[in-house]
Amino acid sequence: MPAETSIPLPLPIRLAQTLGITTSLILAGSTLSTSLTTVPRLLESPPTLLLQQWSHMYAVGKKTGPPISFLSSMAFFYLAWKAHVKPRVVWMYALAGVLGVGIVPYTFAVLMGTNKRLLRKVESARVMELREEDLDLDLDLDLKLDAQRDEEMSAHQLVDWWGVLNLGRGVMLAGSGALGLWAALR
């Protein structure tokens, strides 16, 4: 019986596989790392600093996450289109693409309420800080500490909950990369 020879895949296919798998898994690692390591460190901060740090982290993630997930999904959709002779592989690549870009609707459906509440808290903290600086308010220390304690509980709880919800995006992206890798190996 003659040995089975494998035909090397064309360069565009290999590049798309590399791009889709790599970008989805790098973004998955970054997203999971945010929830598992960054958020716990943020929770050690006082409320005002916590909100400021979360706000910066959110702004960076908002700018970078969707385009990277879109790029990996487009690579997977291209691979699904090119794999038309292998229906099972088509579905694996297509599902990988859906999971990758699916973080955007997931964000709107699951995270948006928490994001809005946190962004309102960020803005409130900025306004309070400006008022204290501009008007040089001399608030009673006990009232200030009570308000800070209330804010701390709420801000910390919201950021902690955001970290839990963010795990869903990381799992989706890891699933996307794993499915893309599995399809590439078939």
Side-chain angles (χ1 to χ4, degrees):
M1 201 179 328
E4 188 178 312
T5 58
S6 83
I7 300 169
L9 291 173
L11 183 62
I13 300 294
R14 287 289 181 207
L15 288 174
Q17 287 173 332
T18 303
L19 182 67
I21 295 165
T22 305
T23 54
S24 63
L25 290 177
I26 287 173
L27 189 56
S30 174
T31 304
L32 291 169
S33 170
T34 298
S35 286
L36 298 174
T37 60
T38 305
V39 167
R41 295 302 64 83
L42 291 179
L43 293 173
E44 296 172 355
S45 302
T48 306
L49 180 59
L50 166 78
L51 290 168
Q52 192 176 47
Q53 291 170 329
W54 179 86
S55 175
H56 292 303
M57 182 184 69
Y58 172 79
V60 170
K62 185 178 176 180
K63 288 179 186 172
T64 59
I68 294 171
S69 73
F70 183 75
L71 181 64
S72 81
S73 290
M74 288 301 100
F76 288 138
F77 291 142
Y78 168 77
L79 290 166
W81 174 63
K82 292 303 260 182
H84 63 278
V85 295
K86 297 180 179 178
R88 187 175 200 161
V89 174
V90 169
W91 286 107
M92 291 168 71
Y93 279 133
L95 184 54
V98 168
L99 283 172
V101 80
I103 68 165
V104 175
Y106 177 89
T107 300
F108 283 108
V110 177
L111 276 151
M112 193 54 70
T114 304
N115 287 349
K116 286 180 179 180
R117 289 174 67 192
L118 278 164
L119 290 169
R120 278 195 300 271
K121 285 209 162 292
V122 167
E123 192 56 36
S124 294
R126 284 186 189 138
V127 168
M128 280 287 267
E129 193 174 301
L130 287 174
R131 283 183 185 160
E132 286 178 13
E133 287 175 6
D134 290 348
L135 301 175
D136 196 18
L137 291 176
D138 188 20
L139 299 174
D140 181 41
L141 186 57
D142 289 334
L143 289 174
K144 199 173 186 178
L145 288 175
D146 285 343
Q148 188 175 9
R149 260 187 247 118
D150 289 345
E151 181 184 356
E152 181 177 347
M153 284 179 56
S154 185
H156 281 78
Q157 288 172 346
L158 282 171
V159 170
D160 190 30
W161 182 237
W162 181 91
V164 169
L165 295 176
N166 189 53
L167 286 171
R169 293 193 293 194
V171 169
M172 289 174 70
L173 290 163
S176 172
L179 268 172
L181 180 60
W182 189 19
L185 295 175
R186 297 192 122 253

